[in-house]
């Protein structure tokens, strides 16, 4: 058994036969209160979709406060390793594969948002339920140099806990899937409107 200690909310243990560590099964026990900001059913669906798209490992089972799933050996990328030409090429291939994942998440309907200047943002929803949209954001190249992605995810989770935002369903190497809050972008005129300001 191997106890993974990098996580901040869950307990994660890897189980394997001594001479076959590559064939590890991960057992994740959810941290107390994490269901307040993570939709566990959606997370399981996302892991299954990632596996179907050959971008993740299979889920073997779920239980009341956790899941068992496959292990993908590797290393966490940092600002130096992500610039390695071999790794950058592989990352690009995986990013291109996300279009397949988007199709699995979306079915027929998706909306490409073009307001952002650094990220690709696609909204996926069932035709008659656009209010229940899931956003898939793929980070723009180099944005990790000026945005702390882990802190961004923590901030989104805190906003959701305070009922001021939407849940994060999952994160992946270069992006996140999260809920959609319908509304409008405020401009300098609308922000001065007394009804909106109050």
């Amino acid at each position: 058994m191997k106890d993974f200690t990098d996580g901040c909310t869950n307990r994660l243990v890897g189980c394997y036969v001594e001479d076959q560590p590559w064939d590890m099964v991960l057992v994740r026990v959810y941290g107390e209160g994490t269901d307040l900001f993570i939709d566990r059913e959606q997370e399981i669906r996302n892991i299954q979709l990632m596996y179907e798209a050959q971008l993740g490992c299979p889920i073997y089972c779920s239980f009341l406060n956790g899941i068992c799933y496959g292990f993908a050996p590797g290393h966490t990328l940092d600002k130096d390793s992500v610039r390695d030409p071999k790794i950058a090429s592989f990352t690009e291939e995986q990013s291109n594969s996300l279009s397949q994942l988007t199709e699995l998440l979306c079915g027929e309907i998706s909306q490409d948002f073009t307001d952002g200047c650094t990220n690709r943002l696609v909204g996926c929803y069932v035709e008659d339920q656009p209010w229940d949209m899931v956003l898939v954001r793929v980070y723009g190249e180099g944005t990790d140099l000026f945005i702390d992605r882990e802190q961004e995810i923590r901030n989104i989770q805190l906003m959701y806990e305070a009922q001021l935002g939407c849940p994060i369903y999952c994160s992946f190497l270069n992006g996140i899937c999260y809920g959609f809050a319908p509304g409008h972008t405020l401009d300098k005129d609308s922000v001065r409107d007394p009804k909106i300001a109050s």
Side-chain angles (χ1 to χ4, degrees):
M1 286 181 45
K2 177 177 181 179
D3 206 343
F4 292 88
T5 56
D6 291 342
C8 57
T9 56
N10 302 315
R11 173 95 193 273
L12 186 61
V13 177
C15 307
Y16 58 95
V17 177
E18 190 171 349
D19 59 343
Q20 299 174 5
W22 63 87
D23 196 21
M24 186 183 300
V25 173
L26 297 174
V27 179
R28 186 195 319 168
V29 179
Y30 301 139
E32 187 177 347
T34 55
D35 58 312
L36 296 174
F37 55 88
I38 296 175
D39 180 336
R40 296 300 182 187
E41 290 180 14
Q42 185 64 49
E43 179 186 40
I44 288 170
R45 285 194 297 272
N46 291 341
I47 293 171
Q48 290 169 332
L49 289 172
M50 294 281 283
Y51 177 65
E52 289 173 27
Q54 299 179 355
L55 295 170
C57 294
I59 264 197
Y60 299 123
C61 70
S62 63
F63 46 95
L64 186 60
N65 65 333
I67 55 175
C68 295
Y69 57 104
F71 173 71
H75 300 283
T76 303
L77 297 178
D78 58 25
K79 63 181 182 180
D80 297 320
S81 61
V82 80
R83 291 184 174 96
D84 181 307
K86 291 178 186 173
I87 293 174
S89 174
F90 178 73
T91 302
E92 183 179 6
E93 288 173 24
Q94 295 300 301
S95 296
N96 291 337
S97 297
L98 283 174
S99 62
Q100 183 180 2
L101 173 64
T102 302
E103 288 172 19
L104 286 168
L105 281 170
C106 299
E108 297 285 320
I109 307 296
S110 70
Q111 178 179 345
D112 209 336
F113 293 89
T114 55
D115 291 344
C117 57
T118 57
N119 301 316
R120 170 103 193 270
L121 185 61
V122 178
C124 309
Y125 57 95
V126 177
E127 188 170 3
D128 60 342
Q129 299 174 3
W131 63 87
D132 198 21
M133 187 182 299
V134 173
L135 296 174
V136 179
R137 184 193 321 167
V138 179
Y139 300 140
E141 186 177 347
T143 54
D144 59 309
L145 298 174
F146 56 89
I147 295 175
D148 181 339
R149 296 299 180 191
E150 290 180 12
Q151 185 61 52
E152 179 186 41
I153 288 171
R154 284 193 295 272
N155 290 343
I156 293 171
Q157 290 170 339
L158 289 171
M159 294 284 285
Y160 179 64
E161 286 177 39
Q163 299 181 348
L164 297 171
C166 294
I168 285 189
Y169 299 125
C170 72
S171 62
F172 46 94
L173 183 63
N174 64 334
I176 55 176
C177 294
Y178 58 103
F180 173 70
H184 301 282
T185 303
L186 297 178
D187 59 24
K188 64 181 182 180
D189 297 322
S190 60
V191 79
R192 292 185 179 108
D193 183 313
K195 292 178 186 172
I196 294 173
S198 65

